[in-house]
Amino acid sequence: MKQKSLLLLLAAALVFSLIGCGADDANTKTQTSETEHTADVVVIGAGGAGLAAAVSAHQNGASVIVIEKMPFVGGNTIICGAAYNAVDPSRQGPQGIEDSVDKHFQQTYEGGDKLGKPEMIRTLVENAYPAIEWLESMDMEFKPEVFTVLGGLWPRAHKPVKPLGTGFIDTYMNYISKNDNIEIMVDTKGLALTTDGNRITGVRAEGPAGPVNLNAGKGVVIATGGFSANVELREKYNAMWPSLTNLKTTNHTGATGDGLTIAEEVGANLIGLEQIQLLPMGDPDTGSLLGNIEQGVENRIFANKAGDRFVDEGARRDVMTLALFDQEDSYMYIILDKHSYPTGDTKNNFNESIDQLVANGKAFKADTLEELAAQINVNPKNLVKAVAEFNSAVQTDGPDRFGRTLFDEKIDTPPFYAGPRTPTVHHTMGGIEITPRAEVVDANGKTIPGLYAAGEVTGGIHGANRLGGNALPDITVFGRIAGKSAATAK
Ligand code: ADP
């Protein structure tokens, strides 16, 4: 990561402390520890949305400062499974997959119970592929094949060549390290916006050496991510689930919803905060997605503690998670076979090989389904029956009795694997209301001059349930738009 601004900050703090030594009245002390920075565009949050906004603003002629409260950049983006939905005939065509932007629109809209705003979804689906081309123009690489990610409903998820979300963050950081007038200040937490009348003029922040004032000549972009790691907030807004107090999360510890308060204080409208996404895919010990052995939707089933299937494993995320809550201890195993892991060193979406996962006790491996059932302590007859039933649905291409329609290979080739999973809090769909130009609006629908937002901190796109694979295009598309809108603001 680039350290030039951190060094600048430390140097400034040193200078201030030197010239300030000996001054003992409160006023002087405040002055000595305060630093002032100015750029055309100030971005709060250095995850995927914030860094996309920063690069895009810079490409549109702006000087840019990004502040990041953690000691490192990346947010949730860098630790995500990195599935990126886009309609892409050049990749889907050779795989024989039919798709269209309208289908992506329809699945996103209906998959969110028609609560997402159509004009926002349209912007998302139409710009998803151009944003891939934009990333590729900065040398980011995606694999040639697409797949169906959990709850993605269709095979249009692109996977970067680099593991997890590192490809996105590396791409932006590479751009930032090579260009002037675009800086990142880590360990610097945005606290509030500064205003001149109703116009947003900057950010008041707290850095390692004390208060930091950032003046934004053209605009501020809020890109602070969601609030899945803030137990109090998610409990305050939760209306869809049983209590979320004791659930774990897939998120990094910085996902605390700071941007919501920051925006609300200047009159931004917040929408859909009750729309909280859980996944049925958490590590039972940590809530993390790490250790998830699924390799896409088509070739695996879920079995509960009795060894029975209980849901369409290709369904929406909320549908699968609700079904999992009804199972004993809300606990299940992903069951799959050699088709998903042709060799022991084949890796999952989180860069972990199946051999490693078995060795660490995160997955189980056996030559027969009966042996596998014995290892995970489920009824072997039930597990064998569940797999047989799945295999006959593969043969007829479904739909099976759960309504499942996504199939590819049978589960019939040893070794067989099982991996335990439980519900975990993953994504907050609600947040700051924005226009398709990523301008923040107030309760009357009027834009707040100088204020933009992008990424998980915004609301109004995914409705009640976000499709798997739609978060990365969301943060990339709207981050890119927010940066451009801010840079080109009058
Ligand atoms: P998105 O997917 O929307 O980009 P991420 O979680 O990837 O969201 O990134 C959001 C980033 O914003 C994280 O790196 C997080 O630490 C940072 N962040 C959150 N709150 C603040 C704040 N008050 N000031 C500065 N950075 C913040």
Side-chain angles (χ1 to χ4, degrees), residues 44-49 67-70 74-77 188-190 223-225 252 254 258 262 455-456 475:
I44 314 176
I67 58 168
E68 167 56 54
K69 71 174 175 181
M70 306 297 276
N76 279 328
T77 307
T188 303
K189 182 176 180 178
T224 49
H252 82 124
D258 305 6
I262 293 173
E456 199 178 335
I475 68 175

Side-chain angles (χ1 to χ4, degrees), residues 222-291:
I222 302 179
T224 49
F227 60 92
S228 288
N230 186 331
V231 176
E232 212 173 288
L233 261 198
R234 73 191 195 201
E235 203 53 33
K236 173 176 167 188
Y237 293 118
N238 173 31
M240 299 170 61
W241 302 99
S243 168
L244 300 178
T245 305
N246 294 322
L247 280 199
K248 300 186 172 74
T249 179
T250 61
N251 282 207
H252 82 124
T253 53
T256 47
D258 305 6
L260 301 177
T261 324
I262 293 173
E264 202 173 23
E265 277 169 8
V266 298
N269 198 34
L270 305 182
I271 52 175
L273 293 173
E274 72 287 0
Q275 291 155 357
I276 297 174
Q277 177 163 83
L278 271 56
L279 291 185
M281 281 298 149
D283 178 305
D285 298 324
T286 65
S288 159
L289 288 175
L290 291 177

